[in-house]
Amino acid sequence: GESVGLHLPTLSVQEGDNSIINCAYSNSASDYFIWYKQESGKGPQFIIDIRSNMDKRQGQRVTVLLNKTVKHLSLQIAATQPGDSAVYFCAENRDSNSGYALNFGKGTSLLVTP
Amino acid sequence: DVKVTQSSRYLVKRTGEKVFLECVQDMDHENMFWYRQDPGLGLRLIYFSYDVKMKEKGDIPEGYSVSREKKERFSLILESASTNQTSMYLCASSPPGLRNEKLFFGSGTQLSVL
């Protein structure tokens, strides 16, 4: 079946730098995308989401960009902090037959160094 | 805030045992989901339920069953645990409807089958 994937499994950035985490998706029918952050020992927590009628959405220190032409999604974190160290998952929505479940990528581990 | 509670943080069971993983949500959500999370594989959907006593198979239902007797509670059952079911199990819930795909996750249950 179609799947969501990530370009890089790990990313190391210096504190204060900007981080960019990338995600490729292959289901052209998906119209909702979401990023989760998972800290060690915790469940995934919502960061930001975007619908396919938009190409950019901003939150607090985070921005999600959607490029439907190349089926690419990215998460940008500004002024990365040690507390941003976590695994980040992108996900896309599935159809109504799955109860609108989400299909997840494999995750990218972000490590913020001092 | 939505709260999804998984009854056990860690479980150790023996091969062949029947295992129950419990999940309770307090936001009156219709949809509930069970995922398993394995390193390098991301989150994979096991089962979901969109109403009391309703259940549907996800992508990897083999070896599992579920029970939804009350709206707030969704149980995952391993009929005869095997070592390849050692994993992190994540429960999630969401409101009904097409535009409510954001899932709210519990903290997870790390199950080890020996």
Side-chain angles (χ1 to χ4, degrees), chain A residues 45-63:
Chain A
Q45 296 175 290
F46 168 81
I47 302 173
I48 192 168
D49 56 4
I50 188 168
R51 296 216 172 262
S52 59
N53 60 350
M54 302 173 68
D55 53 19
K56 180 179 180 179
R57 192 169 187 212
Q58 288 184 296
Q60 189 174 17
R61 280 201 308 119
V62 294
T63 301

Side-chain angles (χ1 to χ4, degrees), chain B residues 38-91:
Chain B
D38 301 286
L41 296 179
L43 281 69
R44 293 179 291 166
L45 182 65
I46 305 172
Y47 264 97
F48 65 95
S49 168
Y50 51 87
D51 203 351
V52 176
K53 298 194 184 294
M54 304 301 291
K55 56 185 178 183
E56 296 288 343
K57 293 179 180 179
D59 300 321
I60 52 165
E62 296 78 17
Y64 303 95
S65 62
V66 290
S67 173
R68 184 111 183 256
E69 296 296 318
K70 293 184 178 181
K71 190 176 185 181
E72 66 271 18
R73 185 179 298 271
F74 192 35
S75 303
L76 180 69
I77 304 158
L78 286 66
E79 296 290 342
S80 178
S82 63
T83 55
N84 63 12
Q85 292 179 308
T86 292
S87 186
M88 169 69 84
Y89 289 88
L90 291 163
C91 175

Side-chain angles (χ1 to χ4, degrees), chain A residues 26-47:
Chain A
S26 56
N27 184 1
S28 57
S30 295
D31 62 0
Y32 175 80
F33 304 88
I34 187 169
W35 283 97
Y36 282 92
K37 172 186 180 183
Q38 186 178 28
E39 296 174 280
S40 181
K42 297 183 179 180
Q45 296 175 290
F46 168 81
I47 302 173

